């Protein structure tokens, strides 16, 4: 099979072919080095892009952007136009490429619109290539308000990439690097998802509306046998994965790894890492293509963080490193980390940044769906800590205490079979329980929810590391003995931020206790997490790094609060509808059936006491469901009367969510009492084991 990689992307090769050498080079300088975009290029690029698009079969273009909804948006416009002489032509101007004008008031703005105009702009992002899909060419864009405030996921990410690049270059110069011209964070996003049968999915209102189940009794088998993770991929799923890969490859997404995940019906996809901006765009695209390809295969792809109770939920792992344009990975430990001063410096910057901004990093993984996942025994607890591995941590501690660090030789594994190749052992074992783990040349942030935009986590990492590197720059400026200063930075980092390092089992209760003693924040729900966006320390960080103004911080928080509330209300309404229109009627009918049998038996003189007690149990359950439905309705109404968005969210977190949990328990009990044909929608076994 031949792979037509990136055949639907207006990439370097396509551009080189169609643009003049000078235009191409100028554009490359913007793309690769972050130089300002020369506006006079737009006309030439637009014209080449249109010709390419039309050859691909496109009739439309769209400014593709990422409003604060975790999904993408775009208005499709045909290339058509009419000339003054009435002739119809295909046209795409430089102006149309550079700027679009969607109505900002129809997207979440977090109050920015109240003070400013409703108009919004999309601005062409020349650092992420346009691509063709379904008759349209998609042009990645940033989305901002009339006054330039960020209303999307991409704008702050681009700002943070620029801040990190400028700051890191200054450090590199101090360390004697004269060749690197730009710095970028590289990101690889592992994406978890569930696949269920489409027909069964269509029969469940909760899956269709909320992307998750709101009811469902415990299935006889879940994930307890550990037989799904990396197990043999079933044919139907393998077909889906093959199609998905082909589609993604054509779109330039380097999908590389695919496997079954821990829960039944759960899977994972990981692409080869790329620059943060492109990686985040590609992740959005991947999620969209996953949904679409699943539908074509008679499946439904669930990207929700916790679609099913009793089995693991889904996350998204953000693998992050800092790299120069000339190929240096500044977080690569190398053979001898103890003597690799550049590495030690950047490592300390990350440790300091993560300890200082643990709250923000936690906030970047906050959403309604993730609340049911974080802190359970399947995902990292809601406490940020760093796993360095004992080996690397002991190197840092040795340096801090002035001892010479041990230089290592490679270790070989003793497998005990001569015919097998000898394997070198890694410096440290994997710690799958850590929310933020060093893996030799990168960090892996494991808290993000599967449905979330990954952009904000990277914004936080870039911003926090930029700030710390600024402080390191001051310490290193003008000093004679750079290695000695770096060793003292290591000592300072271990002393002041060593508390954030934890190499043990993050799932254990002892760790929560220990973390509390160390003073590490544990933020257990979205509402508390969102609050940290407006703490003075964090507002200052974003202001200093030119990523968010204070207004933008408040607007983000408001958007996230509003989103949280809307999601919970939708879940509550869906629950109410399923309860009153599906579950209660089914239970009532079934009680009638059983009662009828009881009476029939009584008629021939058999008094079945067990059957009678079963009717009583069903009837009691039904009463709870009916009164529970009423109460749910009342609580929803009460929630709507609260005006302040922060207070609404508190009410939902403290009152409505727990109530929904308790109500669910009665329905799940009822499910186990009814005969399966009488239950009004597919159960967990149908969903998890019938693909
Ligand atoms: P695992 O599941 O073992 O963590 P995967 O292969 O599933 O590993 O995913 C690892 C991810 O990390 C991939 O997307 C990979 O491209 C990415 N990655 C590898 N090296 C780097 C790096 N230097 N910087 C950022 N991401 C990286
Ligand atoms: Mg993986």
């Amino acid at each position: 099979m031949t792979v037509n990689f990136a055949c639907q992307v207006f990439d370097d090769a396509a551009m080189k072919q169609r643009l003049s050498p000078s235009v191409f080079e100028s554009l490359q300088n913007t793309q690769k080095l972050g130089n300002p975009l020369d506006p006079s290029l737009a006309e030439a690029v637009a014209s080449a892009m249109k010709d390419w698009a039309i050859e691909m079969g496109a009739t439309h273009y769209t400014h593709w952007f990422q409003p604060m909804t975790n999904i993408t948006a775009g208005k499709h416009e045909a290339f058509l136009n009419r000339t003054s002489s009435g002739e119809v032509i295909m046209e795409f101007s430089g102006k149309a490429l550079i700027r679009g004008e969607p109505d900002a008031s129809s997207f979440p703005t977090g109050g920015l619109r109240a003070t400013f105009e409703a108009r919004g702009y999309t601005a062409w992002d020349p650092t992420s290539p346009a691509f063709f899909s379904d008759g349209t060419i998609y042009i990645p864009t940033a989305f901002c308000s009339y006054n330039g405030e960020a209303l999307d996921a991409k704008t702050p990410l681009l700002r943070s990439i620029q801040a990190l690049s400028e700051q890191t270059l200054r450090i590199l110069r101090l360390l004697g690097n004269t060749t690197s011209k730009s710095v970028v964070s590289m990101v690889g996003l592992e994406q978890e998802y569930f696949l269920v049968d489409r027909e069964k999915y269509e029969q469940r209102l909760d899956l269709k509306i909320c992307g998750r189940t709101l009811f469902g009794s415990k299935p006889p088998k879940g994930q307890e046998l550990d037989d799904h993770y990396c197990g043999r991929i079933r044919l139907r799923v393998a077909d889906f994965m093959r199609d998905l890969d082909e589609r993604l490859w054509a779109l330039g997404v380097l999908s590389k790894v695919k496997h079954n995940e821990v829960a039944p019906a759960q899977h994972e996809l990981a692409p080869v890492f790329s620059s943060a901006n492109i990686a985040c765009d590609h992740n959005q695209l991947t999620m969209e293509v996953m949904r679409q390809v699943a539908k074509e295969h008679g499946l439904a792809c669930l990207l929700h963080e916790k679609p099913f109770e009793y089995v693991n939920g889904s996350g998204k792992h953000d693998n992050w490193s800092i790299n120069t344009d000339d190929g240096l990975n500044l977080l690569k430990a190398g053979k001898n980390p103890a003597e690799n001063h550049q590495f030690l410096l950047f490592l300390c910057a990350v440790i300091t940044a993560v300890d200082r901004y643990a709250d923000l990093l936690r906030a970047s993984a906050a959403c309604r769906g993730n609340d049911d996942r974080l802190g359970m025994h399947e995902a990292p607890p809601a406490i940020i800590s760093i796993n360095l591995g004992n080996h690397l941590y002991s190197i840092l501690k040795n340096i801090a205490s002035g001892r010479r660090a041990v230089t290592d030789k490679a270790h070989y594994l003793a497998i005990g079979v001569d015919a097998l190749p000898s394997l070198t052992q890694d410096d440290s074992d994997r710690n799958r329980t850590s929310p933020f783990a060093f893996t030799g040349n990168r960090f892996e942030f494991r808290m993000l929810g599967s449905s979330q935009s990954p952009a904000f986590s990277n914004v936080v990492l870039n911003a926090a590391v930029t700030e710390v590197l600024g402080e390191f720059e001051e310490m290193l400026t003008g000093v004679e003995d750079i290695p000695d200063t770096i060793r003292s930075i290591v000592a300072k980092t271990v002393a002041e931020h060593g508390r954030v390092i934890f190499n043990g089992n993050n799932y254990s209760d002892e760790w929560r206790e220990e973390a509390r003693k160390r003073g590490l924040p544990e933020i257990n729900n979205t509402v508390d997490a969102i609050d940290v966006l407006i703490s003075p320390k964090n507002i200052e960080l974003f202001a200093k790094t030119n990523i968010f103004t204070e207004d933008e911080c408040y607007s983000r928080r408001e958007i996230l609060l509003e989103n949280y509330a809307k999601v919970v209300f939708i879940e509550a309404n869906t629950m109410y509808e399923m309860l009153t229109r599906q579950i209660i009627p089914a239970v009532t009918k079934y009680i009638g059936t059983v009662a009828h049998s009881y009476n029939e038996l009584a008629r021939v003189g058999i008094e079945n006491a067990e059957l009678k007690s079963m009717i009583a149990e069903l009837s009691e359950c039904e009463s709870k469901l009916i009164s529970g439905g009423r109460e749910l309705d009342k609580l929803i109404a009460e929630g709507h009367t609260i005006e302040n968005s922060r207070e609404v969210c508190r009410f939902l977190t403290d009152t409505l969510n727990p109530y929904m949990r308790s109500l669910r328990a009665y329905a799940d009990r009822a499910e186990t009492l009814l005969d399966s044909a009488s239950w009004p929608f597919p159960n967990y076994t149908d969903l998890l084991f019938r693909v």
Side-chain angles (χ1 to χ4, degrees):
M1 186 200 134
T2 50
V3 174
N4 240 339
F5 185 73
C7 61
Q8 289 173 221
V9 187
F10 192 57
D11 60 0
D12 284 357
M15 280 191 275
K16 196 166 183 180
Q17 208 182 16
R18 288 163 193 271
L19 295 171
S20 75
S22 67
V23 171
F24 180 71
E25 191 189 336
S26 178
L27 197 59
Q28 287 274 298
N29 285 338
T30 297
Q31 288 171 337
K32 304 262 145 58
L33 306 176
N35 291 356
L37 176 73
D38 176 354
S40 69
L41 298 183
E43 216 56 60
V45 178
S47 162
M49 198 186 271
K50 181 202 69 185
D51 291 346
W52 174 83
I54 289 171
E55 277 171 40
M56 295 295 301
T59 51
H60 289 68
Y61 69 93
T62 183
H63 274 200
W64 187 60
F65 60 102
Q66 297 165 23
M68 295 289 292
T69 51
N70 284 317
I71 56 172
T72 66
K75 168 171 81 179
H76 297 239
E77 284 187 56
F79 290 120
L80 289 186
N81 209 349
R82 204 195 298 275
T83 65
S84 50
S85 59
E87 195 191 345
V88 176
I89 54 164
M90 297 292 261
E91 183 189 74
F92 187 44
S93 67
K95 187 167 165 276
L97 167 65
I98 286 188
R99 202 181 86 165
E101 280 191 37
D103 176 11
S105 63
S106 306
F107 294 101
T109 61
L112 284 175
R113 193 174 72 90
T115 28
F116 305 102
E117 286 199 39
R119 199 194 285 265
Y121 297 113
T122 48
W124 173 38
D125 170 16
T127 61
S128 181
F131 57 90
F132 167 80
S133 178
D134 303 319
T136 296
I137 171 140
Y138 288 75
I139 302 165
T141 55
F143 177 47
C144 63
S145 74
Y146 181 67
N147 285 344
E149 289 108 346
L151 294 179
D152 65 347
K154 184 190 271 281
T155 307
L157 179 63
L158 291 175
R159 290 175 184 162
S160 76
I161 289 169
Q162 183 171 322
L164 180 69
S165 179
E166 289 168 4
Q167 178 57 62
T168 307
L169 276 181
R170 287 199 292 276
I171 293 268
L172 288 178
R173 295 292 179 257
L174 284 174
L175 301 183
N177 176 323
T178 56
T179 52
S180 302
K181 295 202 194 74
S182 74
V183 171
V184 65
S185 40
M186 286 293 183
V187 170
L189 290 155
E190 300 164 53
Q191 176 71 48
E192 293 178 346
Y193 60 96
F194 280 83
L195 285 179
V196 298
D197 185 81
R198 184 108 207 156
E199 226 174 275
K200 303 209 168 59
Y201 163 91
E202 295 286 346
Q203 292 168 44
R204 290 204 55 138
L205 202 60
D206 47 5
L207 283 181
K208 274 173 55 171
I209 307 251
C210 312
R212 61 171 290 197
T213 56
L214 295 165
F215 299 103
S217 64
K218 194 173 190 311
K221 177 178 188 282
Q223 62 189 46
E224 48 280 273
L225 292 180
D226 294 325
D227 55 355
H228 196 256
Y229 181 69
C230 288
R232 194 164 193 296
I233 299 171
R234 270 159 298 161
L235 285 180
R236 190 164 169 210
V237 174
D239 277 349
F240 159 85
M241 287 176 165
R242 190 178 317 110
D243 255 13
L244 176 63
D245 276 343
E246 277 174 32
R247 293 272 270 282
L248 290 174
W249 290 336
L251 291 166
V253 180
L254 279 90
S255 168
K256 186 172 167 72
V257 183
K258 51 188 180 186
H259 59 79
N260 286 349
E261 257 302 328
V262 170
Q266 191 185 31
H267 313 280
E268 182 185 296
L269 176 152
V272 175
F273 64 96
S274 52
S275 67
N277 181 34
I278 291 181
C280 291
D281 281 0
H282 279 178
N283 181 253
Q284 293 286 359
L285 191 54
T286 300
M287 292 194 285
E288 281 167 23
V289 178
M290 276 177 167
R291 287 198 177 100
Q292 201 174 317
V293 175
K295 198 169 179 185
E296 291 162 14
H297 282 253
L299 299 165
C301 174
L302 308 179
L303 290 162
H304 193 279
E305 284 73 22
K306 191 71 184 169
F308 303 101
E309 197 69 36
Y310 315 113
V311 297
N312 280 6
S314 299
K316 176 153 27 206
H317 295 177
D318 189 280
N319 292 269
W320 175 91
S321 63
I322 317 174
N323 297 256
T324 66
D325 61 312
D326 49 354
L328 287 174
N329 177 353
L330 303 173
L331 287 175
K332 188 168 175 177
K335 286 211 172 65
N336 190 357
E339 302 287 331
N340 185 346
H341 291 99
Q342 180 172 291
F343 164 71
L344 292 172
L345 185 69
F346 285 99
L347 180 68
C348 287
V350 178
I351 295 170
T352 307
V354 169
D355 186 36
R356 201 181 285 168
Y357 294 103
D359 56 350
L360 265 183
L361 209 49
R362 164 68 183 91
S364 77
C367 66
R368 167 73 192 103
N370 232 3
D371 279 1
D372 288 338
R373 191 179 77 98
L374 293 180
M376 311 292 159
H377 280 254
E378 53 170 82
I383 307 165
I384 297 276
S385 67
I386 302 178
N387 175 71
L388 284 186
N390 291 328
H391 179 71
L392 186 56
Y393 192 31
S394 67
I395 289 179
L396 294 188
K397 284 191 289 195
N398 280 340
I399 295 174
S401 60
R403 266 173 288 157
R404 264 203 71 76
V406 267
T407 316
D408 284 294
K409 294 200 189 68
H411 296 288
Y412 289 93
L413 290 182
I415 303 183
V417 179
D418 292 343
L420 294 181
S422 49
L423 304 179
T424 50
Q425 189 181 37
D426 288 312
D427 272 348
S428 61
D429 197 0
R430 289 292 186 97
N431 180 345
R432 297 247 166 225
T433 67
S434 175
F436 198 80
F438 183 66
T439 52
N441 62 357
R442 63 186 187 271
F443 281 94
E444 184 174 354
F445 179 49
R446 302 210 182 97
M447 257 190 194
L448 256 179
S450 48
S451 73
Q452 291 188 284
S453 157
F456 189 49
S457 295
N458 291 291
V459 169
V460 172
L461 284 171
N462 292 344
V465 171
T466 299
E467 181 191 76
V468 177
L469 287 175
E471 293 165 13
F472 289 0
E473 183 190 349
E474 275 175 34
M475 295 177 191
L476 290 164
T477 302
V479 304
E480 296 237 317
D481 190 343
I482 293 260
D484 191 54
T485 309
I486 292 178
R487 280 191 292 271
S488 61
I489 288 176
V490 171
K492 186 172 149 58
T493 306
V494 170
E496 291 172 12
H497 304 289
R499 65 173 191 161
V500 78
I501 297 169
F502 179 66
N503 299 320
N505 178 8
N506 291 68
Y507 292 180
S508 68
D509 292 336
E510 293 77 32
W511 165 234
R512 292 181 76 178
E513 193 46 47
E514 167 73 20
R516 222 164 281 148
K517 279 191 207 133
R518 294 188 190 187
L520 300 178
E522 175 172 6
I523 308 176
N524 278 319
N525 62 70
T526 293
V527 184
D528 292 336
I530 295 172
D531 270 347
V532 311
L533 283 175
I534 53 162
S535 77
K537 164 189 81 120
N538 296 333
I539 289 179
E540 199 186 317
L541 169 74
F542 287 132
K544 219 183 330 180
T545 46
N546 292 320
I547 292 169
F548 289 129
T549 60
E550 187 168 347
D551 278 348
E552 287 173 320
C553 290
Y554 272 87
S555 129
R556 293 269 134 171
R557 171 177 176 264
E558 190 59 32
I559 290 172
L560 293 172
L561 287 173
E562 281 172 9
N563 176 270
Y564 178 87
K566 285 175 190 162
V567 171
V568 178
F569 279 127
I570 291 170
E571 286 178 356
N573 290 334
T574 309
M575 183 171 235
Y576 182 76
E577 180 154 341
M578 290 173 81
L579 190 68
T580 53
R581 304 182 64 177
Q582 295 188 290
I583 296 176
I584 294 172
V587 177
T588 310
K589 208 163 148 193
Y590 188 66
I591 292 176
T593 312
V594 182
H596 179 74
S597 308
Y598 177 80
N599 288 335
E600 288 297 296
L601 287 174
R603 231 153 50 92
V604 295
I606 301 172
E607 156 70 34
N608 189 331
E610 291 303 328
L611 208 52
K612 192 172 176 183
S613 81
M614 184 178 161
I615 296 168
E617 191 180 355
L618 277 164
S619 171
E620 194 198 322
C621 203
E622 192 190 32
S623 309
K624 296 272 193 215
L625 291 173
I626 295 171
S627 62
R630 278 197 206 111
E631 178 66 14
L632 178 63
D633 194 34
K634 222 176 81 201
L635 289 175
I636 294 172
E638 189 180 336
H640 283 302
T641 63
I642 308 171
E643 273 182 21
N644 174 293
S645 57
R646 173 70 171 68
E647 274 159 37
V648 180
C649 291
R650 266 268 70 92
F651 171 79
L652 300 178
T653 304
D654 297 342
T655 309
L656 188 58
N657 281 336
Y659 189 75
M660 286 169 66
R661 277 201 157 270
S662 65
L663 188 52
R664 173 189 173 142
Y666 290 113
D668 292 354
R669 174 83 188 119
E671 188 189 328
T672 62
L673 297 174
L674 261 61
D675 89 74
S676 62
S678 306
W679 196 245
F681 37 77
N683 64 25
Y684 268 27
T685 300
D686 295 332
L687 293 166
L688 291 170
F689 293 98
R690 298 276 193 270
V691 167

PDB file of all heavy atoms in Angstrom, residues 147-159:
ATOM      1  N   ASN A 147     -11.384  44.379  19.771  1.00  0.00           N
ATOM      2  CA  ASN A 147     -10.215  45.071  20.307  1.00  0.00           C
ATOM      3  C   ASN A 147      -8.975  44.194  20.429  1.00  0.00           C
ATOM      4  O   ASN A 147      -8.001  44.565  21.059  1.00  0.00           O
ATOM      5  CB  ASN A 147     -10.533  45.657  21.685  1.00  0.00           C
ATOM      6  CG  ASN A 147     -11.393  46.897  21.551  1.00  0.00           C
ATOM      7  OD1 ASN A 147     -11.493  47.458  20.459  1.00  0.00           O
ATOM      8  ND2 ASN A 147     -12.019  47.306  22.640  1.00  0.00           N
ATOM      9  N   GLY A 148      -9.046  43.009  19.864  1.00  0.00           N
ATOM     10  CA  GLY A 148      -7.858  42.159  19.849  1.00  0.00           C
ATOM     11  C   GLY A 148      -7.742  41.220  21.037  1.00  0.00           C
ATOM     12  O   GLY A 148      -6.739  40.531  21.192  1.00  0.00           O
ATOM     13  N   GLU A 149      -8.754  41.177  21.919  1.00  0.00           N
ATOM     14  CA  GLU A 149      -8.684  40.220  23.025  1.00  0.00           C
ATOM     15  C   GLU A 149      -8.882  38.807  22.489  1.00  0.00           C
ATOM     16  O   GLU A 149      -9.738  38.577  21.632  1.00  0.00           O
ATOM     17  CB  GLU A 149      -9.775  40.472  24.078  1.00  0.00           C
ATOM     18  CG  GLU A 149      -9.555  41.716  24.904  1.00  0.00           C
ATOM     19  CD  GLU A 149     -10.530  42.801  24.531  1.00  0.00           C
ATOM     20  OE1 GLU A 149     -11.189  42.682  23.475  1.00  0.00           O
ATOM     21  OE2 GLU A 149     -10.622  43.780  25.300  1.00  0.00           O
ATOM     22  N   ALA A 150      -8.113  37.876  23.053  1.00  0.00           N
ATOM     23  CA  ALA A 150      -8.201  36.492  22.592  1.00  0.00           C
ATOM     24  C   ALA A 150      -9.540  35.883  22.970  1.00  0.00           C
ATOM     25  O   ALA A 150      -9.977  35.983  24.115  1.00  0.00           O
ATOM     26  CB  ALA A 150      -7.082  35.674  23.223  1.00  0.00           C
ATOM     27  N   LEU A 151     -10.198  35.259  21.993  1.00  0.00           N
ATOM     28  CA  LEU A 151     -11.464  34.563  22.271  1.00  0.00           C
ATOM     29  C   LEU A 151     -11.353  33.085  21.939  1.00  0.00           C
ATOM     30  O   LEU A 151     -12.351  32.394  21.774  1.00  0.00           O
ATOM     31  CB  LEU A 151     -12.591  35.179  21.428  1.00  0.00           C
ATOM     32  CG  LEU A 151     -12.992  36.614  21.745  1.00  0.00           C
ATOM     33  CD1 LEU A 151     -14.098  37.069  20.796  1.00  0.00           C
ATOM     34  CD2 LEU A 151     -13.457  36.740  23.186  1.00  0.00           C
ATOM     35  N   ASP A 152     -10.128  32.613  21.815  1.00  0.00           N
ATOM     36  CA  ASP A 152      -9.956  31.242  21.334  1.00  0.00           C
ATOM     37  C   ASP A 152      -8.832  30.532  22.082  1.00  0.00           C
ATOM     38  O   ASP A 152      -8.223  31.085  23.004  1.00  0.00           O
ATOM     39  CB  ASP A 152      -9.646  31.257  19.838  1.00  0.00           C
ATOM     40  CG  ASP A 152      -8.307  31.924  19.535  1.00  0.00           C
ATOM     41  OD1 ASP A 152      -7.743  32.582  20.447  1.00  0.00           O
ATOM     42  OD2 ASP A 152      -7.805  31.770  18.417  1.00  0.00           O
ATOM     43  N   ALA A 153      -8.560  29.301  21.647  1.00  0.00           N
ATOM     44  CA  ALA A 153      -7.490  28.522  22.272  1.00  0.00           C
ATOM     45  C   ALA A 153      -6.137  28.837  21.624  1.00  0.00           C
ATOM     46  O   ALA A 153      -5.090  28.730  22.262  1.00  0.00           O
ATOM     47  CB  ALA A 153      -7.803  27.034  22.124  1.00  0.00           C
ATOM     48  N   LYS A 154      -6.164  29.225  20.354  1.00  0.00           N
ATOM     49  CA  LYS A 154      -4.902  29.365  19.620  1.00  0.00           C
ATOM     50  C   LYS A 154      -4.128  30.651  19.945  1.00  0.00           C
ATOM     51  O   LYS A 154      -2.901  30.607  20.067  1.00  0.00           O
ATOM     52  CB  LYS A 154      -5.191  29.292  18.115  1.00  0.00           C
ATOM     53  CG  LYS A 154      -3.927  29.327  17.253  1.00  0.00           C
ATOM     54  CD  LYS A 154      -4.265  29.501  15.793  1.00  0.00           C
ATOM     55  CE  LYS A 154      -4.482  28.189  15.079  1.00  0.00           C
ATOM     56  NZ  LYS A 154      -3.233  27.520  14.733  1.00  0.00           N
ATOM     57  N   THR A 155      -4.850  31.779  20.050  1.00  0.00           N
ATOM     58  CA  THR A 155      -4.132  33.047  20.228  1.00  0.00           C
ATOM     59  C   THR A 155      -3.190  33.011  21.436  1.00  0.00           C
ATOM     60  O   THR A 155      -1.999  33.322  21.294  1.00  0.00           O
ATOM     61  CB  THR A 155      -5.138  34.220  20.329  1.00  0.00           C
ATOM     62  OG1 THR A 155      -5.989  34.161  19.197  1.00  0.00           O
ATOM     63  CG2 THR A 155      -4.427  35.555  20.393  1.00  0.00           C
ATOM     64  N   PRO A 156      -3.688  32.626  22.625  1.00  0.00           N
ATOM     65  CA  PRO A 156      -2.749  32.580  23.753  1.00  0.00           C
ATOM     66  C   PRO A 156      -1.615  31.582  23.539  1.00  0.00           C
ATOM     67  O   PRO A 156      -0.490  31.805  23.996  1.00  0.00           O
ATOM     68  CB  PRO A 156      -3.622  32.160  24.938  1.00  0.00           C
ATOM     69  CG  PRO A 156      -4.897  31.670  24.373  1.00  0.00           C
ATOM     70  CD  PRO A 156      -5.068  32.320  23.044  1.00  0.00           C
ATOM     71  N   LEU A 157      -1.916  30.503  22.832  1.00  0.00           N
ATOM     72  CA  LEU A 157      -0.857  29.516  22.584  1.00  0.00           C
ATOM     73  C   LEU A 157       0.252  30.153  21.747  1.00  0.00           C
ATOM     74  O   LEU A 157       1.441  30.023  22.071  1.00  0.00           O
ATOM     75  CB  LEU A 157      -1.437  28.287  21.871  1.00  0.00           C
ATOM     76  CG  LEU A 157      -0.421  27.195  21.543  1.00  0.00           C
ATOM     77  CD1 LEU A 157       0.176  26.610  22.827  1.00  0.00           C
ATOM     78  CD2 LEU A 157      -1.041  26.075  20.711  1.00  0.00           C
ATOM     79  N   LEU A 158      -0.144  30.865  20.696  1.00  0.00           N
ATOM     80  CA  LEU A 158       0.871  31.510  19.846  1.00  0.00           C
ATOM     81  C   LEU A 158       1.652  32.555  20.651  1.00  0.00           C
ATOM     82  O   LEU A 158       2.869  32.679  20.517  1.00  0.00           O
ATOM     83  CB  LEU A 158       0.212  32.155  18.624  1.00  0.00           C
ATOM     84  CG  LEU A 158      -0.372  31.163  17.605  1.00  0.00           C
ATOM     85  CD1 LEU A 158      -1.119  31.901  16.500  1.00  0.00           C
ATOM     86  CD2 LEU A 158       0.724  30.289  16.999  1.00  0.00           C
ATOM     87  N   ARG A 159       0.937  33.288  21.496  1.00  0.00           N
ATOM     88  CA  ARG A 159       1.638  34.279  22.327  1.00  0.00           C
ATOM     89  C   ARG A 159       2.648  33.591  23.232  1.00  0.00           C
ATOM     90  O   ARG A 159       3.769  34.064  23.435  1.00  0.00           O
ATOM     91  CB  ARG A 159       0.633  35.055  23.183  1.00  0.00           C
ATOM     92  CG  ARG A 159      -0.259  36.015  22.392  1.00  0.00           C
ATOM     93  CD  ARG A 159      -1.301  36.631  23.337  1.00  0.00           C
ATOM     94  NE  ARG A 159      -2.253  37.490  22.664  1.00  0.00           N
ATOM     95  CZ  ARG A 159      -3.425  37.852  23.175  1.00  0.00           C
ATOM     96  NH1 ARG A 159      -3.789  37.413  24.377  1.00  0.00           N
ATOM     97  NH2 ARG A 159      -4.229  38.652  22.523  1.00  0.00           N
TER      98      ARG A 159
END
